[in-house]
């Protein structure tokens, strides 16, 4: 499978990234032109998703007595507009609906819904994906057209030798707060369901990483994914054998693919984008940290920019790459100490520090205390 990035190739030819600036051979060219989406509310939210994402989940929530009308009022959403497939709803509303669904007491609701995952619910994006020739082309199409589903870039596929990693990174900040754990389960579980159906085999991932804390009983996760997930991770991630990307898609239809891809391109040219440039850089940093602290050329390549353009655009935003790396490391360190029982040494290496002492110095600079003292204070409330 050939991957084109529009930028200089990585030093390691085996490692490629499929993301907002990339496409796989066989998928038509595209452009990014922001437009003002059809409003759904009197107060436009900066981060939005298509109403198509909500349709089936709203029906489940209504059956269980979730106070949807109250949520619509709180987010200034007219429920009549939800019938419009081009309508957008605030991301914060999606999070609130999932939080309410999480209180229903149904165990592993996100995984259960993920098992019923149907690409057709995503309208044109679903048809583009399912009509692709290969699994790699299908996943690339899903990533390429993600802005038809939400106004921010959160999906990417990293191919590293014989392993491919599908990464889901929620936007850094929104009025909706952090992504509910049940929604994380649904999205990553839905990705595996999609992969299994496209490949036509019972895919068992190499590894699964979830950002939320582990539940008391993880058997349902082992049963669904086939492996024990790592909880409390910095990103939601599904790693699998990259050879799957070359498998033909059962039911592929090249003619239909060309037609729906052309239509998707037209829609994409008008699709909203709520992600600031700084957030895109932070996303690149976060995805790269597990492989080491990214350099300016690394980040620039991921964004299809020159290092000079990267530095200039960050300067225009009043920041720098080193400041953003420091900021991302700090946020990850605090989250790991608050939400997991990982050892300090493991957190240090996860954040790209070569020595624990360097992590301790940075943490004291960030917080005025040590990681151990911070963790004890947080545990004490």
């Amino acid at each position: 499978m050939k991957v084109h990035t529009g930028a200089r190739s990585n030093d390691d030819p085996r490692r490629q990234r499929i993301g907002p600036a990339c496409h796989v051979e066989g998928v038509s060219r595209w452009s990014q032109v922001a437009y003002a989406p059809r409003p759904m509310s009197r107060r436009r939210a900066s981060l939005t998703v298509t109403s198509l994402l909500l349709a089936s989940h709203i029906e489940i929530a209504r059956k269980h007595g979730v106070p949807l009308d109250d949520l619509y009022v709180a987010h200034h959403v007219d429920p009549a507009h939800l019938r419009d497939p081009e309508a957008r709803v605030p991301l914060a509303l999606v999070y609130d609906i999932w939080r309410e669904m999480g209180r229903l007491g149904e165990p592993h609701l996100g995984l259960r819904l993920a098992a019923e995952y149907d690409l057709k619910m995503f309208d044109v994006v679903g048809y583009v994906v399912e009509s692709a020739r290969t699994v790699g082309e299908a996943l690339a199409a899903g990533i390429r057209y993600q802005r038809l589903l939400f106004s921010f870039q959160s999906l990417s596929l990293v191919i590293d030798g014989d392993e491919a990693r599908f990464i889901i990174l929620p936007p850094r900040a929104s009025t909706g707060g952090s992504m509910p754990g049940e929604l994380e389960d649904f999205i990553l579980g839905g990705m595996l369901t999609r992969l299994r159906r496209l490949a036509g085999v019972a895919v068992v991932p190499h590894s699964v990483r979830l950002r939320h804390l582990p539940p008391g009983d993880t058997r349902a996760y082992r049963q669904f994914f086939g492996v024990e997930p790592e909880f409390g991770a910095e990103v939601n991630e599904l790693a699998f054998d990259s050879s799957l990307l070359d498998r033909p898609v059962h039911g592929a239809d090249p003619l239909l693919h060309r037609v729906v891809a052309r239509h998707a391109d037209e829609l994409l040219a008008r699709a909203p984008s709520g992600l600031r440039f700084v957030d895109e850089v932070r996303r690149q940093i976060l995805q790269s940290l597990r492989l080491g602290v990214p350099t300016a050329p690394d980040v620039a390549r991921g964004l299809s920019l020159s290092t000079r353009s990267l530095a200039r655009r960050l300067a225009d935003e009043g920041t720098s790459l080193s400041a953003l790396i420091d900021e991302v490391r700090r946020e990850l360190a605090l989250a790991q100490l608050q939400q997991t029982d990982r050892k300090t040494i493991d957190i240090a290496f996860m954040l790209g520090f070569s020595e624990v002492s360097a992590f301790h110095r940075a943490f004291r600079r960030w917080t005025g205390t040590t990681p151990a003292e911070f963790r004890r204070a947080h545990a004490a409330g």
Side-chain angles (χ1 to χ4, degrees), residues 312-329:
R312 183 179 65 251
R313 292 189 63 175
L314 288 177
D316 291 342
E317 298 275 355
T319 188
S320 66
L321 180 60
S322 60
L324 290 178
I325 291 174
D326 195 59
E327 189 178 308
V328 170
R329 282 172 142 183

mmCIF file with all atom_site columns, all heavy atoms in Angstrom, residues 312-329:
data_model
loop_
_atom_site.group_PDB
_atom_site.id
_atom_site.type_symbol
_atom_site.label_atom_id
_atom_site.label_alt_id
_atom_site.label_comp_id
_atom_site.label_asym_id
_atom_site.label_entity_id
_atom_site.label_seq_id
_atom_site.pdbx_PDB_ins_code
_atom_site.Cartn_x
_atom_site.Cartn_y
_atom_site.Cartn_z
_atom_site.occupancy
_atom_site.B_iso_or_equiv
_atom_site.pdbx_formal_charge
_atom_site.auth_seq_id
_atom_site.auth_comp_id
_atom_site.auth_asym_id
_atom_site.auth_atom_id
_atom_site.pdbx_PDB_model_num
ATOM 1   N N   . ARG A 1 312 ? 6.792  30.070 12.407 1.00 0.00 ? 312 ARG A N   1
ATOM 2   C CA  . ARG A 1 312 ? 6.138  31.360 12.164 1.00 0.00 ? 312 ARG A CA  1
ATOM 3   C C   . ARG A 1 312 ? 4.679  31.323 12.613 1.00 0.00 ? 312 ARG A C   1
ATOM 4   O O   . ARG A 1 312 ? 4.200  32.262 13.266 1.00 0.00 ? 312 ARG A O   1
ATOM 5   C CB  . ARG A 1 312 ? 6.228  31.728 10.687 1.00 0.00 ? 312 ARG A CB  1
ATOM 6   C CG  . ARG A 1 312 ? 5.637  33.104 10.366 1.00 0.00 ? 312 ARG A CG  1
ATOM 7   C CD  . ARG A 1 312 ? 5.753  33.466 8.902  1.00 0.00 ? 312 ARG A CD  1
ATOM 8   N NE  . ARG A 1 312 ? 4.968  32.585 8.053  1.00 0.00 ? 312 ARG A NE  1
ATOM 9   C CZ  . ARG A 1 312 ? 5.478  31.677 7.239  1.00 0.00 ? 312 ARG A CZ  1
ATOM 10  N NH1 . ARG A 1 312 ? 6.780  31.520 7.162  1.00 0.00 ? 312 ARG A NH1 1
ATOM 11  N NH2 . ARG A 1 312 ? 4.685  30.915 6.493  1.00 0.00 ? 312 ARG A NH2 1
ATOM 12  N N   . ARG A 1 313 ? 3.966  30.250 12.279 1.00 0.00 ? 313 ARG A N   1
ATOM 13  C CA  . ARG A 1 313 ? 2.550  30.175 12.646 1.00 0.00 ? 313 ARG A CA  1
ATOM 14  C C   . ARG A 1 313 ? 2.376  30.062 14.161 1.00 0.00 ? 313 ARG A C   1
ATOM 15  O O   . ARG A 1 313 ? 1.434  30.624 14.724 1.00 0.00 ? 313 ARG A O   1
ATOM 16  C CB  . ARG A 1 313 ? 1.894  29.003 11.927 1.00 0.00 ? 313 ARG A CB  1
ATOM 17  C CG  . ARG A 1 313 ? 1.797  29.207 10.419 1.00 0.00 ? 313 ARG A CG  1
ATOM 18  C CD  . ARG A 1 313 ? 0.966  28.135 9.760  1.00 0.00 ? 313 ARG A CD  1
ATOM 19  N NE  . ARG A 1 313 ? -0.420 28.138 10.219 1.00 0.00 ? 313 ARG A NE  1
ATOM 20  C CZ  . ARG A 1 313 ? -1.365 27.352 9.722  1.00 0.00 ? 313 ARG A CZ  1
ATOM 21  N NH1 . ARG A 1 313 ? -1.060 26.508 8.743  1.00 0.00 ? 313 ARG A NH1 1
ATOM 22  N NH2 . ARG A 1 313 ? -2.600 27.394 10.181 1.00 0.00 ? 313 ARG A NH2 1
ATOM 23  N N   . LEU A 1 314 ? 3.274  29.356 14.824 1.00 0.00 ? 314 LEU A N   1
ATOM 24  C CA  . LEU A 1 314 ? 3.194  29.283 16.284 1.00 0.00 ? 314 LEU A CA  1
ATOM 25  C C   . LEU A 1 314 ? 3.508  30.644 16.903 1.00 0.00 ? 314 LEU A C   1
ATOM 26  O O   . LEU A 1 314 ? 2.887  31.034 17.901 1.00 0.00 ? 314 LEU A O   1
ATOM 27  C CB  . LEU A 1 314 ? 4.155  28.220 16.815 1.00 0.00 ? 314 LEU A CB  1
ATOM 28  C CG  . LEU A 1 314 ? 3.741  26.766 16.546 1.00 0.00 ? 314 LEU A CG  1
ATOM 29  C CD1 . LEU A 1 314 ? 4.817  25.811 17.056 1.00 0.00 ? 314 LEU A CD1 1
ATOM 30  C CD2 . LEU A 1 314 ? 2.398  26.455 17.201 1.00 0.00 ? 314 LEU A CD2 1
ATOM 31  N N   . ALA A 1 315 ? 4.467  31.354 16.313 1.00 0.00 ? 315 ALA A N   1
ATOM 32  C CA  . ALA A 1 315 ? 4.783  32.696 16.819 1.00 0.00 ? 315 ALA A CA  1
ATOM 33  C C   . ALA A 1 315 ? 3.580  33.620 16.661 1.00 0.00 ? 315 ALA A C   1
ATOM 34  O O   . ALA A 1 315 ? 3.298  34.454 17.539 1.00 0.00 ? 315 ALA A O   1
ATOM 35  C CB  . ALA A 1 315 ? 5.994  33.257 16.077 1.00 0.00 ? 315 ALA A CB  1
ATOM 36  N N   . ASP A 1 316 ? 2.855  33.465 15.548 1.00 0.00 ? 316 ASP A N   1
ATOM 37  C CA  . ASP A 1 316 ? 1.649  34.274 15.346 1.00 0.00 ? 316 ASP A CA  1
ATOM 38  C C   . ASP A 1 316 ? 0.600  33.987 16.412 1.00 0.00 ? 316 ASP A C   1
ATOM 39  O O   . ASP A 1 316 ? -0.222 34.850 16.746 1.00 0.00 ? 316 ASP A O   1
ATOM 40  C CB  . ASP A 1 316 ? 1.049  33.991 13.965 1.00 0.00 ? 316 ASP A CB  1
ATOM 41  C CG  . ASP A 1 316 ? 1.913  34.522 12.829 1.00 0.00 ? 316 ASP A CG  1
ATOM 42  O OD1 . ASP A 1 316 ? 2.770  35.385 13.101 1.00 0.00 ? 316 ASP A OD1 1
ATOM 43  O OD2 . ASP A 1 316 ? 1.740  34.054 11.687 1.00 0.00 ? 316 ASP A OD2 1
ATOM 44  N N   . GLU A 1 317 ? 0.624  32.742 16.955 1.00 0.00 ? 317 GLU A N   1
ATOM 45  C CA  . GLU A 1 317 ? -0.311 32.359 18.019 1.00 0.00 ? 317 GLU A CA  1
ATOM 46  C C   . GLU A 1 317 ? 0.238  32.707 19.400 1.00 0.00 ? 317 GLU A C   1
ATOM 47  O O   . GLU A 1 317 ? -0.395 32.412 20.413 1.00 0.00 ? 317 GLU A O   1
ATOM 48  C CB  . GLU A 1 317 ? -0.594 30.849 17.949 1.00 0.00 ? 317 GLU A CB  1
ATOM 49  C CG  . GLU A 1 317 ? -1.261 30.387 16.673 1.00 0.00 ? 317 GLU A CG  1
ATOM 50  C CD  . GLU A 1 317 ? -2.767 30.534 16.730 1.00 0.00 ? 317 GLU A CD  1
ATOM 51  O OE1 . GLU A 1 317 ? -3.296 30.911 17.798 1.00 0.00 ? 317 GLU A OE1 1
ATOM 52  O OE2 . GLU A 1 317 ? -3.424 30.267 15.700 1.00 0.00 ? 317 GLU A OE2 1
ATOM 53  N N   . GLY A 1 318 ? 1.433  33.294 19.444 1.00 0.00 ? 318 GLY A N   1
ATOM 54  C CA  . GLY A 1 318 ? 2.017  33.696 20.712 1.00 0.00 ? 318 GLY A CA  1
ATOM 55  C C   . GLY A 1 318 ? 2.631  32.561 21.507 1.00 0.00 ? 318 GLY A C   1
ATOM 56  O O   . GLY A 1 318 ? 2.707  32.622 22.741 1.00 0.00 ? 318 GLY A O   1
ATOM 57  N N   . THR A 1 319 ? 3.086  31.521 20.806 1.00 0.00 ? 319 THR A N   1
ATOM 58  C CA  . THR A 1 319 ? 3.675  30.389 21.514 1.00 0.00 ? 319 THR A CA  1
ATOM 59  C C   . THR A 1 319 ? 4.795  29.804 20.680 1.00 0.00 ? 319 THR A C   1
ATOM 60  O O   . THR A 1 319 ? 5.191  30.346 19.646 1.00 0.00 ? 319 THR A O   1
ATOM 61  C CB  . THR A 1 319 ? 2.606  29.324 21.830 1.00 0.00 ? 319 THR A CB  1
ATOM 62  O OG1 . THR A 1 319 ? 3.174  28.326 22.681 1.00 0.00 ? 319 THR A OG1 1
ATOM 63  C CG2 . THR A 1 319 ? 2.061  28.684 20.568 1.00 0.00 ? 319 THR A CG2 1
ATOM 64  N N   . SER A 1 320 ? 5.345  28.664 21.119 1.00 0.00 ? 320 SER A N   1
ATOM 65  C CA  . SER A 1 320 ? 6.433  27.989 20.414 1.00 0.00 ? 320 SER A CA  1
ATOM 66  C C   . SER A 1 320 ? 6.277  26.492 20.589 1.00 0.00 ? 320 SER A C   1
ATOM 67  O O   . SER A 1 320 ? 5.504  26.025 21.437 1.00 0.00 ? 320 SER A O   1
ATOM 68  C CB  . SER A 1 320 ? 7.794  28.430 20.975 1.00 0.00 ? 320 SER A CB  1
ATOM 69  O OG  . SER A 1 320 ? 7.934  27.987 22.320 1.00 0.00 ? 320 SER A OG  1
ATOM 70  N N   . LEU A 1 321 ? 7.014  25.726 19.803 1.00 0.00 ? 321 LEU A N   1
ATOM 71  C CA  . LEU A 1 321 ? 6.921  24.277 19.896 1.00 0.00 ? 321 LEU A CA  1
ATOM 72  C C   . LEU A 1 321 ? 7.387  23.788 21.267 1.00 0.00 ? 321 LEU A C   1
ATOM 73  O O   . LEU A 1 321 ? 6.740  22.926 21.871 1.00 0.00 ? 321 LEU A O   1
ATOM 74  C CB  . LEU A 1 321 ? 7.744  23.614 18.792 1.00 0.00 ? 321 LEU A CB  1
ATOM 75  C CG  . LEU A 1 321 ? 7.720  22.084 18.777 1.00 0.00 ? 321 LEU A CG  1
ATOM 76  C CD1 . LEU A 1 321 ? 6.304  21.566 18.584 1.00 0.00 ? 321 LEU A CD1 1
ATOM 77  C CD2 . LEU A 1 321 ? 8.637  21.547 17.681 1.00 0.00 ? 321 LEU A CD2 1
ATOM 78  N N   . SER A 1 322 ? 8.475  24.327 21.766 1.00 0.00 ? 322 SER A N   1
ATOM 79  C CA  . SER A 1 322 ? 8.977  23.882 23.074 1.00 0.00 ? 322 SER A CA  1
ATOM 80  C C   . SER A 1 322 ? 7.968  24.179 24.180 1.00 0.00 ? 322 SER A C   1
ATOM 81  O O   . SER A 1 322 ? 7.783  23.369 25.101 1.00 0.00 ? 322 SER A O   1
ATOM 82  C CB  . SER A 1 322 ? 10.316 24.548 23.387 1.00 0.00 ? 322 SER A CB  1
ATOM 83  O OG  . SER A 1 322 ? 10.177 25.963 23.424 1.00 0.00 ? 322 SER A OG  1
ATOM 84  N N   . ALA A 1 323 ? 7.279  25.315 24.092 1.00 0.00 ? 323 ALA A N   1
ATOM 85  C CA  . ALA A 1 323 ? 6.275  25.652 25.103 1.00 0.00 ? 323 ALA A CA  1
ATOM 86  C C   . ALA A 1 323 ? 5.102  24.693 25.044 1.00 0.00 ? 323 ALA A C   1
ATOM 87  O O   . ALA A 1 323 ? 4.574  24.266 26.080 1.00 0.00 ? 323 ALA A O   1
ATOM 88  C CB  . ALA A 1 323 ? 5.795  27.090 24.901 1.00 0.00 ? 323 ALA A CB  1
ATOM 89  N N   . LEU A 1 324 ? 4.685  24.298 23.832 1.00 0.00 ? 324 LEU A N   1
ATOM 90  C CA  . LEU A 1 324 ? 3.565  23.375 23.698 1.00 0.00 ? 324 LEU A CA  1
ATOM 91  C C   . LEU A 1 324 ? 3.945  21.974 24.161 1.00 0.00 ? 324 LEU A C   1
ATOM 92  O O   . LEU A 1 324 ? 3.138  21.276 24.774 1.00 0.00 ? 324 LEU A O   1
ATOM 93  C CB  . LEU A 1 324 ? 3.083  23.343 22.252 1.00 0.00 ? 324 LEU A CB  1
ATOM 94  C CG  . LEU A 1 324 ? 2.378  24.603 21.752 1.00 0.00 ? 324 LEU A CG  1
ATOM 95  C CD1 . LEU A 1 324 ? 1.985  24.451 20.284 1.00 0.00 ? 324 LEU A CD1 1
ATOM 96  C CD2 . LEU A 1 324 ? 1.142  24.904 22.592 1.00 0.00 ? 324 LEU A CD2 1
ATOM 97  N N   . ILE A 1 325 ? 5.170  21.545 23.872 1.00 0.00 ? 325 ILE A N   1
ATOM 98  C CA  . ILE A 1 325 ? 5.623  20.240 24.357 1.00 0.00 ? 325 ILE A CA  1
ATOM 99  C C   . ILE A 1 325 ? 5.610  20.224 25.878 1.00 0.00 ? 325 ILE A C   1
ATOM 100 O O   . ILE A 1 325 ? 5.153  19.256 26.508 1.00 0.00 ? 325 ILE A O   1
ATOM 101 C CB  . ILE A 1 325 ? 7.033  19.914 23.823 1.00 0.00 ? 325 ILE A CB  1
ATOM 102 C CG1 . ILE A 1 325 ? 6.981  19.657 22.315 1.00 0.00 ? 325 ILE A CG1 1
ATOM 103 C CG2 . ILE A 1 325 ? 7.625  18.710 24.554 1.00 0.00 ? 325 ILE A CG2 1
ATOM 104 C CD1 . ILE A 1 325 ? 8.345  19.471 21.671 1.00 0.00 ? 325 ILE A CD1 1
ATOM 105 N N   . ASP A 1 326 ? 6.088  21.295 26.482 1.00 0.00 ? 326 ASP A N   1
ATOM 106 C CA  . ASP A 1 326 ? 6.095  21.392 27.938 1.00 0.00 ? 326 ASP A CA  1
ATOM 107 C C   . ASP A 1 326 ? 4.665  21.361 28.490 1.00 0.00 ? 326 ASP A C   1
ATOM 108 O O   . ASP A 1 326 ? 4.374  20.707 29.492 1.00 0.00 ? 326 ASP A O   1
ATOM 109 C CB  . ASP A 1 326 ? 6.797  22.685 28.358 1.00 0.00 ? 326 ASP A CB  1
ATOM 110 C CG  . ASP A 1 326 ? 7.168  22.701 29.832 1.00 0.00 ? 326 ASP A CG  1
ATOM 111 O OD1 . ASP A 1 326 ? 7.930  21.806 30.262 1.00 0.00 ? 326 ASP A OD1 1
ATOM 112 O OD2 . ASP A 1 326 ? 6.697  23.595 30.558 1.00 0.00 ? 326 ASP A OD2 1
ATOM 113 N N   . GLU A 1 327 ? 3.766  22.050 27.811 1.00 0.00 ? 327 GLU A N   1
ATOM 114 C CA  . GLU A 1 327 ? 2.363  22.116 28.243 1.00 0.00 ? 327 GLU A CA  1
ATOM 115 C C   . GLU A 1 327 ? 1.690  20.749 28.153 1.00 0.00 ? 327 GLU A C   1
ATOM 116 O O   . GLU A 1 327 ? 0.972  20.322 29.073 1.00 0.00 ? 327 GLU A O   1
ATOM 117 C CB  . GLU A 1 327 ? 1.640  23.132 27.350 1.00 0.00 ? 327 GLU A CB  1
ATOM 118 C CG  . GLU A 1 327 ? 0.242  23.490 27.780 1.00 0.00 ? 327 GLU A CG  1
ATOM 119 C CD  . GLU A 1 327 ? -0.361 24.543 26.860 1.00 0.00 ? 327 GLU A CD  1
ATOM 120 O OE1 . GLU A 1 327 ? 0.294  25.588 26.646 1.00 0.00 ? 327 GLU A OE1 1
ATOM 121 O OE2 . GLU A 1 327 ? -1.459 24.304 26.347 1.00 0.00 ? 327 GLU A OE2 1
ATOM 122 N N   . VAL A 1 328 ? 1.915  20.036 27.037 1.00 0.00 ? 328 VAL A N   1
ATOM 123 C CA  . VAL A 1 328 ? 1.325  18.712 26.850 1.00 0.00 ? 328 VAL A CA  1
ATOM 124 C C   . VAL A 1 328 ? 1.867  17.743 27.897 1.00 0.00 ? 328 VAL A C   1
ATOM 125 O O   . VAL A 1 328 ? 1.122  16.963 28.492 1.00 0.00 ? 328 VAL A O   1
ATOM 126 C CB  . VAL A 1 328 ? 1.608  18.190 25.430 1.00 0.00 ? 328 VAL A CB  1
ATOM 127 C CG1 . VAL A 1 328 ? 1.224  16.713 25.310 1.00 0.00 ? 328 VAL A CG1 1
ATOM 128 C CG2 . VAL A 1 328 ? 0.838  19.004 24.399 1.00 0.00 ? 328 VAL A CG2 1
ATOM 129 N N   . ARG A 1 329 ? 3.168  17.795 28.141 1.00 0.00 ? 329 ARG A N   1
ATOM 130 C CA  . ARG A 1 329 ? 3.773  16.924 29.153 1.00 0.00 ? 329 ARG A CA  1
ATOM 131 C C   . ARG A 1 329 ? 3.170  17.192 30.538 1.00 0.00 ? 329 ARG A C   1
ATOM 132 O O   . ARG A 1 329 ? 2.875  16.259 31.284 1.00 0.00 ? 329 ARG A O   1
ATOM 133 C CB  . ARG A 1 329 ? 5.280  17.149 29.211 1.00 0.00 ? 329 ARG A CB  1
ATOM 134 C CG  . ARG A 1 329 ? 6.072  16.475 28.098 1.00 0.00 ? 329 ARG A CG  1
ATOM 135 C CD  . ARG A 1 329 ? 7.508  16.920 28.133 1.00 0.00 ? 329 ARG A CD  1
ATOM 136 N NE  . ARG A 1 329 ? 8.440  15.851 27.813 1.00 0.00 ? 329 ARG A NE  1
ATOM 137 C CZ  . ARG A 1 329 ? 9.750  15.988 27.841 1.00 0.00 ? 329 ARG A CZ  1
ATOM 138 N NH1 . ARG A 1 329 ? 10.295 17.150 28.171 1.00 0.00 ? 329 ARG A NH1 1
ATOM 139 N NH2 . ARG A 1 329 ? 10.548 14.974 27.546 1.00 0.00 ? 329 ARG A NH2 1
#
